Amino acid sequence: MSKQYWLMKSEPDVYPWDQLVEDGTGIWDGVRNHTAKLNMMAMQVGDEALFYHSNIGKECVGIMRVTETAFPDPTADEGSPWVVVRVEPVRPLDHPVTLATIKADLKLADMDLIRQSRLSVGRVRPAEWTHILRLSENAAR
DNA sequence: GCCAACGTTGGC
DNA sequence: GCCAACGTTGGC
C-alpha cells in the first residue's frame, strides 16, 4: 500500500513536540475514540503524520513517522479495545501552520481536522499534505 | 431501540 | 468561561 498521511493531536502541556524529539520515539497512548482508533489501526510503518498542538498553539508543528503498527494501549484496561502506534519525529515544520491558516484555505476545507474538530487522529489526503508543507515553507508569519 | 441527560473535547 | 459537536449512559 502506498504511503498514507495523518494528523495527530496532542495538548502541548501534556505531551509537546519537543518531548517527542527529546524522547526520540514514543507511543501514541490515551486515545479513547473509536474513529481515531480505526485510523491508528489503518496506519502502516512508514506512514507520515503531522503533530498538531491542540488547545494551546492550535497549530501543526512537526512531521513524524509511524515506526510500529497498532498494538494494545498499555495505559488502558486489560481486554479493552484501545490501541497505540509507535512514532518518531522526522523534522519540525519550517513554520507552524495554524488552525486559522488551515481554516482560511479553501483547499483544506475538507480536512478531518475541520470537519470533525474533536477527532484526535485524522486522515490527511496527499494533496492536503503537500499543500500544508508548502504553507509551512512559505509562511513568514 | 429510542432519547434525554450528561460528560468530554477543543475552539473561541 | 462558554458553547457546539459528539460520544456514552441509563431509563423506559
Side-chain angles (χ1 to χ4, degrees), chain A residues 42 65 107 141:
Chain A
R65 179 189 297 119
K107 290 198 183 84
R141 296 163 207 278

Side-chain angles (χ1 to χ4, degrees), chain A residues 4 10 17 26 32 45 48-49 52 57 64 70 80 85-86 93 95 106 112 116-118 122 131 135 137 141:
Chain A
Q4 304 175 100
S10 182
W17 165 257
R32 296 294 182 267
V45 170
E48 291 190 303
Y52 176 84
M64 49 194 174
S80 77
V85 292
R86 180 168 291 280
L93 294 182
H95 302 278
L106 284 176
D112 283 359
Q116 202 177 339
S117 66
R118 284 185 10 171
H131 191 65
L135 290 176
E137 289 161 16
R141 296 163 207 278

Side-chain angles (χ1 to χ4, degrees), chain A residues 5-122:
Chain A
Y5 300 98
W6 309 93
L7 182 148
M8 304 173 84
K9 296 183 182 178
S10 182
E11 297 183 37
D13 53 352
V14 176
Y15 193 85
W17 165 257
D18 285 348
Q19 187 66 50
L20 181 64
V21 171
E22 194 180 314
D23 294 346
T25 180
I27 60 166
W28 208 266
D29 62 20
V31 170
R32 296 294 182 267
N33 170 282
H34 288 286
T35 305
K37 180 199 71 171
L38 288 173
N39 282 335
M40 289 207 289
M41 291 180 67
M43 291 182 188
Q44 298 293 319
V45 170
D47 282 2
E48 291 190 303
L50 289 164
F51 193 118
Y52 176 84
H53 279 165
S54 61
N55 271 313
I56 303 166
K58 285 168 280 183
E59 55 192 12
C60 302
V61 292
I63 297 171
M64 49 194 174
R65 179 189 297 119
V66 176
T67 59
E68 189 176 348
T69 53
F71 60 94
D73 186 339
T75 70
D77 293 339
E78 191 85 9
S80 77
W82 307 118
V83 300
V84 297
V85 292
R86 180 168 291 280
V87 294
E88 66 181 15
V90 175
R91 65 175 177 88
L93 294 182
D94 302 323
H95 302 278
V97 178
T98 66
L99 179 64
T101 299
I102 292 172
K103 277 191 152 178
D105 196 317
L106 284 176
K107 290 198 183 84
L108 302 175
D110 211 31
M111 285 186 71
D112 283 359
L113 178 70
I114 304 302
R115 298 178 64 101
Q116 202 177 339
S117 66
R118 284 185 10 171
L119 185 61
S120 62
V121 179

